[in-house]
Amino acid sequence: MFNLDLFYESVPILASAAIVTVELTVCSVILSLLFGTISVMLQLSKIPGGYWLSRTYVSIMRGTPLLVQLFVVFFGLPLLGIKGQAFLAAAVAIGLNSGAYTTEILRAAVQNVPEGQIEAARAMGMSTRQIWFRVILPQAFVVSLPALTSEFTIVLKSTPLASVVAVTELTYAGVVIQARAFSAVEIFLPIAVGYVLIALSFTQVSRWLERRFRLLHT
Amino acid sequence: MTKNVPAIRAEHLVKTFGDLEVLSDISLEVAKGEVVCVLGPSGSGKSTLLRCLNWLSPPTSGTVWIGDEMLGMERDANGTPRPLGDARLRRQRSRIGMVFQSFNLWPHRTAIGNVMEGPMIVRGLSKNEARERAEVLLDRVGLQDKATSYPAKLSGGQQQRVAIARALAMEPEILLFDEPTSALDPELVGEVLDVMQALAEQRTTMIVVTHEIGFASEAADRIVFMDEGSIIEEGAPADFLSSPREQRSRQFLDRYLKRTSFTSFASC
């Protein structure tokens, strides 16, 4: 039987846990963009060792399970003097992991910026840094929006892994309630709906950004 | 003294790509206010020459001077040349404007955004100062009403005029044009040449690589004819076009006249 009382009771708790999920996703996405941007710049500028460094980062992040990365970060941070920061550890681990995929997505877009545009900037006296931030990256981000959106819904769905280091995000909250109530459907059904709603709202933001910037490329 | 210093001077430029010698010992001087058109068959090294003149593609050997400053190189204490630091090279480049065959506008910025970019980012002008300057320049190239259009919404001729305004916005001492009308539909060539003609009449120092012999004959103070990486002949347009001295120049002009005679008769 579907226990409506349990459903009504758990929704407010789940809602506050959903906020943690959104916060974790947003922080991870920001870090992913940061790591991905730095990594793609290292890879494609002629900084000595940069290419090698970036490729190694991408290979390691793509070649190891996120759960393992999460443990490494969570138990590694205290060695750097940062203790008891489960949320931070989770955001950094997911951000590092996703950053590898963001690197690859951005790389394709960066390499598609016509050489002539870069020459025009260089002929004018712009520095390499200015060319990256004024000419290459703004275009690369717009072109990559659909692929990045899809990557960031994967980030959203990776956040339940943070429960292993006791971040009370949406799925973990569900597990806790279920353990007390001995009933699962009333809890995990709204959780599933919650994830869909969060994913949809991300997609909407991305659509809005795409529409805003579409005119530049048609 | 500065009166006599040429705006730009190239000495013994050689450029090789592997075994291929694209420029062999080119020397060229352009005085302030002079308009030089560079003619020559495809693959004669004209574009490479321009790219050496702003160090986009540094020559294998030889020197370029803008005013009395050596471009891209400096001498150390012993007088041996070495590459110039990036910041100083960029400052030198900002004194030389370049207009490309394929326009190379930045598609994520509006027409006026493209023109404002250099003054703001390279020269450090405020947004308002840059906007004022860009408005004047867009007006000069006849595109004041297209200021907020993105490049994708502009015709090739309009894009190239924005690109000219963008180059002018840096207030360069010399303007280099690399086949500025070669990528344009025939009916759009005129509007770009008109802008360039006006610049020539205002005594802008220009080096124009072009196939538009009509433009060269009207706007140029001097024509330089290149073939196989060398300057074969140079002279005043009237002399060069009516009585070229060298065999290769004659062949080039004959071929050009045969190709265009039909269209020029048709337009008579």
Side-chain angles (χ1 to χ4, degrees):
Chain A
M1 273 300 286
F2 193 90
N3 184 343
L4 264 181
D5 288 340
L6 176 59
F7 175 78
Y8 287 132
E9 269 172 53
S10 46
V11 162
I13 303 167
L14 294 179
S16 65
I19 291 170
V20 177
T21 289
V22 171
E23 286 170 348
L24 184 56
T25 307
V26 169
C27 290
S28 303
V29 161
I30 290 169
L31 288 175
S32 169
L33 284 170
L34 185 71
F35 294 139
T37 306
I38 293 170
S39 165
V40 81
M41 288 174 72
L42 278 174
Q43 196 173 131
L44 299 178
S45 352
K46 281 156 194 101
I47 301 165
Y51 177 84
W52 180 85
L53 199 66
S54 166
R55 291 313 309 171
T56 308
Y57 160 67
V58 171
S59 304
I60 291 175
M61 289 300 151
R62 291 203 300 193
T64 52
L66 176 53
L67 187 57
V68 173
Q69 295 163 9
L70 183 55
F71 282 136
V72 170
V73 174
F74 182 70
F75 294 112
L77 281 183
L79 303 178
L80 302 172
I82 302 165
K83 291 199 175 91
Q85 297 282 354
F87 182 91
L88 179 71
V92 169
I94 300 172
L96 275 172
N97 178 276
S98 169
Y101 298 92
T102 300
T103 303
E104 293 298 89
I105 292 168
L106 288 178
R107 183 168 64 100
V110 165
Q111 287 173 330
N112 263 329
V113 173
E115 187 61 30
Q117 288 182 33
I118 295 161
E119 285 194 338
R122 181 152 291 137
M124 191 168 273
M126 281 197 212
S127 67
T128 305
R129 193 176 54 83
Q130 289 170 330
I131 293 172
W132 271 102
F133 286 103
R134 306 289 305 184
V135 178
I136 299 174
L137 288 176
Q139 295 186 68
F141 282 125
V142 173
V143 171
S144 306
L145 259 177
L148 287 174
T149 308
S150 139
E151 167 59 24
F152 296 151
T153 51
I154 295 174
V155 167
L156 165 67
K157 290 179 290 174
S158 306
T159 53
L161 281 177
S163 61
V164 301
V165 295
V167 174
T168 318
E169 45 65 57
L170 188 49
T171 304
Y172 187 57
V175 172
V176 170
I177 301 172
Q178 186 228 0
R180 286 191 208 141
F182 301 109
S183 191
V185 180
E186 292 85 345
I187 297 153
F188 284 102
L189 209 59
I191 286 177
V193 172
Y195 277 112
V196 171
L197 291 178
I198 297 170
L200 279 178
S201 56
F202 282 174
T203 320
Q204 284 312 109
V205 172
S206 159
R207 283 276 156 73
W208 176 78
L209 286 170
E210 265 182 72
R211 265 199 309 277
R212 233 202 106 182
F213 292 114
R214 169 143 328 136
L215 64 162
L216 319 187
H217 290 274
T218 49
Chain B
M1 175 207 153
T2 46
K3 201 82 182 135
N4 302 322
V5 175
I8 191 163
R9 182 169 100 238
E11 284 175 342
H12 306 297
L13 291 185
V14 174
K15 178 73 183 176
T16 55
F17 293 107
D19 289 336
L20 185 69
E21 192 173 67
V22 187
L23 294 181
S24 25
D25 196 20
I26 296 259
S27 295
L28 180 70
E29 254 187 47
V30 178
K32 291 194 180 100
E34 191 182 18
V35 177
V36 171
C37 282
V38 183
L39 304 180
S42 304
S44 55
K46 310 181 297 285
S47 294
T48 308
L49 172 63
L50 281 197
R51 297 167 62 82
C52 285
L53 292 182
N54 68 356
W55 229 248
L56 267 185
S57 164
T60 312
S61 66
T63 45
V64 176
W65 300 78
I66 35 171
D68 42 20
E69 228 181 279
M70 188 161 47
L71 178 66
M73 307 288 282
E74 62 181 346
R75 291 187 195 284
D76 63 15
N78 303 321
T80 347
R82 62 175 179 207
L84 199 62
D86 190 55
R88 286 177 59 196
L89 173 59
R90 282 189 275 119
R91 209 166 312 134
Q92 291 181 337
R93 275 202 182 118
S94 73
R95 296 163 57 188
I96 309 167
M98 182 133 179
V99 175
F100 299 85
Q101 179 175 353
S102 47
F103 331 132
N104 295 344
L105 294 180
W106 300 304
H108 56 301
R109 303 202 189 282
T110 58
I112 198 164
N114 268 275
V115 181
M116 288 163 64
E117 188 73 0
M120 274 166 57
I121 300 306
V122 180
R123 292 266 191 264
L125 260 63
S126 75
K127 202 166 186 171
N128 284 335
E129 291 169 318
R131 185 179 300 281
E132 267 171 44
R133 185 185 288 191
E135 277 166 356
V136 171
L137 287 167
L138 284 179
D139 192 38
R140 244 170 96 184
V141 300
L143 288 172
Q144 59 280 42
D145 55 330
K146 296 286 182 190
T148 55
S149 301
Y150 283 93
K153 304 276 185 215
L154 300 175
S155 73
Q158 291 169 332
Q159 288 189 51
Q160 193 61 299
R161 285 187 279 153
V162 173
I164 293 172
R166 176 175 71 172
L168 287 171
M170 297 296 291
E171 299 181 331
E173 294 158 42
I174 308 127
L175 263 181
L176 309 176
F177 291 83
D178 187 8
E179 302 199 23
T181 57
S182 297
L184 295 175
D185 290 337
E187 75 269 23
L188 301 177
V189 168
E191 61 189 72
V192 173
L193 292 181
D194 287 345
V195 169
M196 291 167 59
Q197 177 82 46
L199 288 174
E201 280 159 16
Q202 291 152 19
R203 310 313 308 161
T204 312
T205 312
M206 292 157 67
I207 303 179
V208 185
V209 167
T210 184
H211 293 291
E212 297 292 334
I213 292 185
F215 171 79
S217 77
E218 277 181 41
D221 299 307
R222 179 156 52 109
I223 287 179
V224 169
F225 176 73
M226 281 180 70
D227 195 15
E228 293 177 345
S230 300
I231 293 178
I232 305 296
E233 180 172 350
E234 52 185 305
D239 300 338
F240 174 80
L241 295 172
S242 59
S243 49
R245 295 187 301 273
E246 300 290 330
Q247 174 72 16
R248 273 188 279 183
S249 327
R250 272 198 295 276
Q251 276 173 353
F252 173 80
L253 288 172
D254 282 348
R255 215 172 311 135
Y256 171 81
L257 290 173
K258 262 186 212 123
R259 187 160 50 79
T260 51
S261 55
F262 174 76
T263 42
S264 46
F265 279 126
S267 65
C268 275

